[in-house]
């Protein structure tokens, strides 16, 4: 019988790894054997230890979960979006974990105001397309991959995953009869596209290392064994995708690596046609394609670091003519085409934005929003002939809001703001009770790094307030400000929440990403430390009150800053953390590895990359120092960051710096995103929040 009050001690089984003349002994490599009974026993022992060490927080966890639930309108209705002759939407019902996917017919094709019910009840004439709760019945985990309505509205392609490993089973439902057809394909990936008549479905499958590499064509009603490979990508650095243009005229077959892309098109009314290449791939050139009338729109970075918009003829797509020229500092991210307007999603001065280009114009205008920091992005827009553009807006103080933008008048029509119900004190939520700020930290090399912050008004700025500093900093992903109901429970207890917009992300344009990848990756980590130090110097918090948090590649960040500046933080939350990157990137048989070489470098082939990665890898650099308290969370079925990375990391921390406070919590039936149901996700968040509050002395 084990003593759950004592930290588990992982056995040591020396395993040698030699590259570029460097031999490393990894005592915990055996933990990568997922089916080894010793591995499973160790994970269960860690979970038991974590539960024992946090048992005193059980009441607080329940309280926090209750606060999340109390503030959430559990029975709710999303804003319906138009597609064909229907309004589509989702519903949630109090007590149920998953959304219900529905539609209602339009009474009039000219109607533009989406239907709504004040209490989240079903709309009149509702048709339930899928009930996530019914699909999930009998399963510990459930997530939906594809949800794709055919252009004629008669069929639904959907896919399901019941383990969290992101291997989806694809099915087709006939919406006229309600019958799920026998056309079933296992082990598919995200991404589907219908032909114009809804008789042909394109889908993706992955290779042995989980790389989507094949596009298939399936004719509805025929055996899936007769499906045809439309495109296969042989280069292991590239993955493929498939999509239907908003005009519904073309199917896009996209191939891309981290820095290079290539697109082919198939007329949607001729689905058996050979895919036509828009432009051959050139190393380092990225481009995307959208259809607009007689032309294809091309968003590209050929000689344009922050991208420019060009166009080419549908009939002869050989040359690109510039439409919106490159402007350094304004990163063009995507273009959405409508019959009479284009909408460009862009990034400027660390903020997301939207630019409207009426047909025939090249300058257009940028939409303006009242708050100093915010996030805005294009939402569900399936209509090509429309005068309205659906967008989604939020900030640290403004709950997620859905608008329709009238392209003719410039009016923003608020369709819905996510309800926030009164908290435990019975008071209505008021954004005016909170304040958000933008600060700038100074990095080691003089670079100014933006920080977004929120606090409840009245929270002192004398160094006494505890703070959570969140970061990511990889893959050009921007951590734009977002509203969070669970975060209110921390703010109302006197905590500050901050987001460090560090290099490696995309907040400040393409150069911001380039300066935080490959052999510049350490800028990501030093930027985060600079943000932490700035918050302390400015009186927002102090090192003994500061908690760092990040997940996935942001978990790598957590492990790196724990080694780089352990005394800058009192605690660290590392979720599904990529803390053993060198071991993983050295193994091309692991999921995604070869595709990742253009992000991190190839340590197999390049001794300089090997040495650089080894110098910052959290697992490689655990030292006998005083670390902050660490909570590491992972999932056994995660295919993106394998469970054994945080498991090995915690084992080495305990062996090397045994006086620390290290906890490992492994979800035994989930994937990269953690628990799938909303109540389970809230409980997971309450667990982390309770631990954070405990570490800063607010667990009362």
């Amino acid at each position: 019988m084990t003593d759950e009050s004592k930290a588990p001690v992982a056995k040591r089984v020396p395993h040698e790894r030699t590259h570029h003349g460097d031999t490393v002994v990894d005592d915990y490599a055996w933990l990568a054997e997922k089916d080894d009974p010793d591995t499973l026993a160790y994970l269960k022992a860690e979970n038991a230890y974590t539960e024992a060490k946090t048992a005193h927080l059980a009441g607080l966890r329940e309280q926090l979960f209750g606060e999340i639930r109390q503030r959430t309108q559990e029975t709710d209705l999303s804003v319906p979006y138009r597609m064909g002759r229907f309004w589509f939407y989702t519903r949630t019902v109090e007590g149920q974990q998953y959304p219900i996917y529905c539609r209602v017919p339009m009474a009039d094709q000219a109607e533009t105001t989406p239907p709504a019910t004040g209490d989240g009840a079903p709309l009149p004439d509702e048709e339930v397309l899928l009930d996530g709760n019914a699909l999930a019945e009998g399963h510990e985990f459930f997530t939906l991959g594809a949800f794709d309505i055919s252009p004629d509205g008669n069929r639904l392609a959907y896919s399901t995953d019941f383990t969290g490993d992101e291997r989806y089973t694809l099915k087709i439902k006939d919406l006229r009869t309600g019958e799920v057809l026998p056309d079933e394909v296992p082990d598919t990936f995200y991404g589907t596209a219908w032909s114009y008549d809804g008789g042909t479905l394109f889908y993706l499958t992955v290779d042995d290392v989980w790389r989507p590499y094949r596009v298939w064509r399936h004719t509805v009603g025929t055996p899936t064994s007769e499906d045809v490979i439309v495109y296969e990508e042989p280069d292991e650095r590239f993955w493929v995708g498939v999509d239907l243009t908003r005009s519904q005229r073309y199917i896009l077959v996209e191939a891309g690596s981290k820095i290079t892309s290539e697109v082919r098109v198939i007329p949607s009314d001729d689905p058996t046609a050979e895919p036509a290449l828009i432009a051959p791939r050139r190393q380092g050139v990225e481009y995307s394609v959208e259809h607009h009338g007689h032309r294809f729109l091309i968003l590209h970075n050929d000689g344009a670091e922050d991208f420019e918009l060009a166009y080419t003829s549908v009939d002869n797509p050989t040359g690109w003519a510039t439409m919106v020229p490159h402007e350094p500092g304004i990163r063009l991210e995507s273009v959405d085409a409508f019959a009479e307007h284009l909408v460009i999603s862009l990034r400027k001065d660390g903020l997301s934005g939207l630019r409207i280009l009426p047909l025939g114009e090249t300058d257009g205008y940028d939409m303006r929003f009242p708050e100093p920091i915010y996030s805005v992005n294009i939402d569900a827009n399936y209509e090509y002939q429309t005068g309205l553009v659906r967008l989604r807006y939020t900030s640290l103080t403004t709950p997620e809001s859905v608008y329709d933008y009238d392209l003719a008048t410039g009016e923003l029509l608020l369709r819905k703001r996510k309800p926030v119900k009164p908290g435990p004190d019975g008071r209505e939520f008021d954004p005016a009770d909170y304040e958000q700020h933008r600060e700038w930290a100074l990095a080691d090399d003089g670079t100014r790094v933006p920080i977004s912050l929120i606090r409840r008004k009245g929270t002192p700025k004398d160094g006494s307030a505890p703070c959570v500093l969140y970061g990511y900093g990889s893959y050009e992903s921007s951590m734009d400000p977002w509203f969070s109901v669970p975060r209110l429970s921390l703010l109302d207890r006197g905590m500050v929440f901050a987001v460090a917009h560090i290099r490696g992300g995309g907040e400040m344009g393409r150069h911001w990403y380039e300066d935080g990848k490959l052999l510049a990756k350490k800028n990501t980590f030093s930027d985060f430390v600079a943000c932490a130090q700035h918050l302390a110097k400015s009186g927002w918090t102090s090192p003994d009150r500061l908690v760092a948090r990040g997940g996935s590649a942001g978990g790598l960040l957590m492990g790196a800053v724990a080694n780089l500046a352990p005394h800058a933080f009192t605690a660290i939350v590392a979720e599904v953390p990529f803390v053993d990157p060198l071991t993983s990137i050295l193994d091309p048989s692991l999921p995604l590895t070869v595709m990742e070489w253009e992000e991190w470098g190839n340590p197999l082939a390049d001794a300089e990359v090997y040495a650089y990665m080894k110098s910052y890898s959290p697992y490689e650099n655990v030292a006998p120092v005083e670390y902050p308290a660490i909570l590491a969370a992972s999932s056994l079925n995660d295919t993106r960051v394998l469970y054994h990375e945080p498991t090995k990391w915690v084992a080495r921390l305990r062996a090397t710096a045994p006086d620390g406070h290290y906890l490992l919590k492994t979800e035994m039936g989930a994937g990269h995103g953690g628990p799938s149901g909303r109540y389970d996700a809230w409980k997971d968040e309450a667990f982390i929040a309770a631990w954070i509050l405990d570490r800063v002395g607010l667990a009362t």
Side-chain angles (χ1 to χ4, degrees):
M1 186 172 182
T2 59
D3 184 353
E4 294 174 356
S5 66
K6 293 184 178 180
V9 176
K11 67 181 180 181
R12 297 189 181 205
V13 182
H15 173 81
E16 286 193 358
R17 180 193 77 203
T18 300
H19 293 279
H20 307 290
D22 178 54
T23 297
V24 172
V25 176
D26 185 351
D27 288 333
Y28 305 108
W30 66 271
L31 284 164
E33 298 298 325
K34 184 177 180 180
D35 297 327
D36 186 337
D38 285 353
T39 298
L40 295 176
Y42 179 76
L43 293 175
K44 291 175 182 177
E46 286 282 8
N47 279 347
Y49 175 70
T50 296
E51 184 57 39
K53 295 297 287 186
T54 60
H56 65 291
L57 299 175
L60 179 59
R61 292 199 295 260
E62 285 300 314
Q63 183 179 345
L64 291 168
F65 173 77
E67 290 176 14
I68 298 170
R69 189 167 185 176
Q70 183 176 350
R71 287 187 166 110
T72 301
Q73 184 167 311
E74 297 179 65
T75 296
D76 204 3
L77 189 80
S78 70
V79 180
Y81 59 87
R82 285 177 52 127
M83 183 177 175
R85 62 187 188 277
F86 293 94
W87 291 105
F88 290 84
Y89 59 95
T90 61
R91 284 194 296 110
T92 53
V93 177
E94 183 175 352
Q96 295 185 0
Q97 293 265 30
Y98 300 98
I100 302 168
Y101 299 80
C102 312
R103 71 179 181 184
V104 293
M106 289 182 181
D108 182 350
Q109 282 293 103
E111 64 181 274
T112 58
T113 301
T117 58
D119 58 0
L123 292 170
D125 301 319
E126 175 181 274
E127 177 187 356
V128 173
L129 307 180
L130 288 179
D131 184 342
N133 304 285
L135 290 171
E137 191 171 347
H139 301 278
E140 291 185 9
F141 182 93
F142 163 74
T143 188
L144 201 62
F147 182 89
D148 192 358
I149 303 290
S150 61
D152 59 11
N154 291 334
R155 293 188 173 114
L156 165 65
Y158 69 97
S159 60
T160 55
D161 168 21
F162 296 112
T163 65
D165 64 1
E166 299 182 69
R167 268 65 168 174
Y168 290 88
T169 298
L170 179 64
K171 298 182 179 183
I172 297 173
K173 183 176 182 179
D174 189 322
L175 299 181
R176 294 163 296 188
T177 65
E179 177 191 7
V180 176
L181 304 179
D183 314 49
E184 182 176 308
V185 188
D187 296 326
T188 62
F189 192 68
Y190 307 96
T192 54
W194 285 101
S195 64
Y196 188 77
D197 65 0
T200 303
L201 180 66
F202 295 81
Y203 64 91
L204 308 174
T205 57
V206 298
D207 62 12
D208 291 339
V209 293
W210 196 69
R211 175 182 67 103
Y213 78 121
R214 280 178 175 167
V215 179
W216 294 79
R217 184 179 69 239
H218 171 71
T219 301
V220 178
T222 66
T224 56
S225 59
E226 298 177 4
D227 289 357
V228 176
I229 298 174
V230 174
Y231 178 78
E232 180 172 331
E233 176 54 56
D235 192 327
E236 291 182 298
R237 298 172 302 158
F238 283 71
W239 65 93
V240 298
V242 66
D243 203 1
L244 181 65
T245 60
R246 180 174 290 103
S247 67
Q248 300 181 346
R249 289 278 306 280
Y250 290 93
I251 292 150
L252 304 175
V253 176
E254 301 153 316
S257 73
K258 298 291 183 185
I259 59 174
T260 307
S261 56
E262 184 178 71
V263 181
R264 292 167 172 79
V265 297
I266 301 171
S268 63
D269 59 359
D270 187 12
T272 61
E274 192 70 20
L277 182 64
I278 296 294
R281 67 187 65 174
R282 285 185 288 148
Q283 182 72 4
V285 175
E286 300 168 64
Y287 72 92
S288 59
V289 174
E290 176 65 298
H291 173 243
H292 192 233
H294 63 282
R295 60 191 179 181
F296 289 123
L297 304 176
I298 313 290
L299 194 68
H300 70 89
N301 70 338
D302 188 9
E305 181 183 51
D306 281 323
F307 288 70
E308 69 178 26
L309 181 62
Y311 66 91
T312 188
S313 168
V314 164
D315 298 325
N316 186 25
T318 53
W320 295 353
T322 299
M323 178 182 294
V324 178
H326 175 243
E327 187 174 349
I330 300 181
R331 170 71 161 94
L332 307 185
E333 295 189 318
S334 64
V335 59
D336 287 87
F338 302 90
E340 301 297 328
H341 290 78
L342 306 180
V343 181
I344 296 175
S345 297
L346 54 82
R347 189 166 296 282
K348 179 181 179 182
D349 298 329
L351 293 173
S352 55
L354 299 174
R355 179 173 297 173
I356 310 298
L357 272 72
L359 190 63
E361 298 185 20
T362 57
D363 292 334
Y365 58 91
D366 292 348
M367 296 182 64
R368 298 187 180 278
F369 301 94
E371 295 183 275
I373 53 175
Y374 58 84
S375 304
V376 64
N377 58 278
I378 289 290
D379 197 35
N381 291 276
Y382 292 97
E383 296 290 298
Y384 183 67
Q385 298 282 349
T386 182
L388 299 174
V389 173
R390 176 68 55 84
L391 59 90
R392 195 170 293 267
Y393 176 94
T394 188
S395 76
L396 292 172
T397 60
T398 302
E400 190 173 73
S401 307
V402 175
Y403 289 91
D404 279 337
Y405 179 69
D406 191 315
L407 292 165
T409 66
E411 184 181 5
L412 267 177
L413 306 169
L414 178 62
R415 299 307 192 189
K416 183 171 184 175
R417 180 159 289 149
K418 186 174 181 178
V420 180
K421 297 172 68 177
D425 59 2
R427 294 176 57 187
E428 294 286 339
F429 168 76
D430 185 353
D433 291 338
Y434 305 87
E435 54 188 28
Q436 56 182 344
H437 300 267
R438 172 59 60 89
E439 298 262 326
W440 297 82
L442 197 64
D444 293 343
D445 61 1
T447 300
R448 296 176 74 239
V449 182
I451 310 170
S452 298
L453 302 104
I454 181 174
R455 65 174 176 177
R456 189 176 180 90
K457 286 183 178 178
T459 301
K461 193 182 175 185
D462 57 5
S464 65
C467 176
V468 173
L469 179 62
Y470 187 88
Y472 188 75
S474 291
Y475 302 111
E476 203 177 2
S477 295
S478 298
M479 294 295 104
D480 293 317
W482 74 97
F483 184 84
S484 166
V485 166
R487 187 189 301 145
L488 296 176
S489 294
L490 300 182
L491 299 177
D492 290 350
R493 285 171 169 81
M495 293 199 73
V496 177
F497 179 82
V499 182
H501 303 290
I502 49 185
R503 281 176 284 185
E507 286 91 338
M508 302 290 286
R510 175 50 67 92
H511 80 92
W512 203 247
Y513 170 49
E514 298 287 352
D515 287 349
K517 64 181 291 195
L518 298 172
L519 295 177
K521 188 62 201 171
K522 289 182 182 179
N523 286 336
T524 302
F525 316 136
S526 57
D527 281 2
F528 191 84
V529 172
C531 290
Q533 293 170 340
H534 174 85
L535 293 177
K537 290 176 183 176
S538 303
W540 288 101
T541 189
S542 56
D544 63 350
R545 307 285 280 160
L546 181 58
V547 179
R549 184 175 181 179
S552 196
L556 163 63
L557 169 69
M558 295 298 100
V561 301
N563 290 329
L564 181 63
H567 301 301
F569 312 94
T570 189
I572 290 176
V573 178
E575 298 169 88
V576 288
F578 187 41
V579 284
D580 191 16
L582 182 55
T583 303
S584 293
I585 297 298
L586 281 167
D587 187 352
S589 70
L590 290 179
L592 307 178
T593 289
V594 175
M595 294 161 56
E596 295 286 307
W597 284 344
E598 291 179 341
E599 176 78 19
W600 309 97
N602 181 355
L604 271 175
D606 192 320
E608 183 182 13
V609 169
Y610 175 89
Y612 188 77
M613 289 192 71
K614 186 179 179 184
S615 71
Y616 70 69
S617 167
Y619 182 64
E620 306 279 349
N621 290 281
V622 172
V625 300
E626 184 180 350
Y627 281 100
I630 292 174
L631 171 61
S634 74
S635 295
L636 185 62
N637 296 329
D638 192 343
T639 52
R640 295 176 182 265
V641 177
L642 301 182
Y643 73 92
H644 57 76
E645 294 203 26
T647 306
K648 291 169 55 180
W649 181 48
V650 168
R652 180 169 280 183
L653 281 165
R654 287 227 186 88
T656 309
D659 294 332
H661 177 95
Y662 316 117
L663 298 180
L664 175 67
K665 181 175 182 285
T666 304
E667 291 290 339
M668 303 301 284
H672 194 62
S676 58
R678 58 174 176 163
Y679 295 109
D680 291 339
W682 295 348
K683 288 178 180 177
D684 193 56
E685 182 61 29
F687 183 95
I688 293 172
W691 185 83
I692 289 173
L693 290 168
D694 190 38
R695 301 315 304 178
V696 298
L698 293 179
T700 57

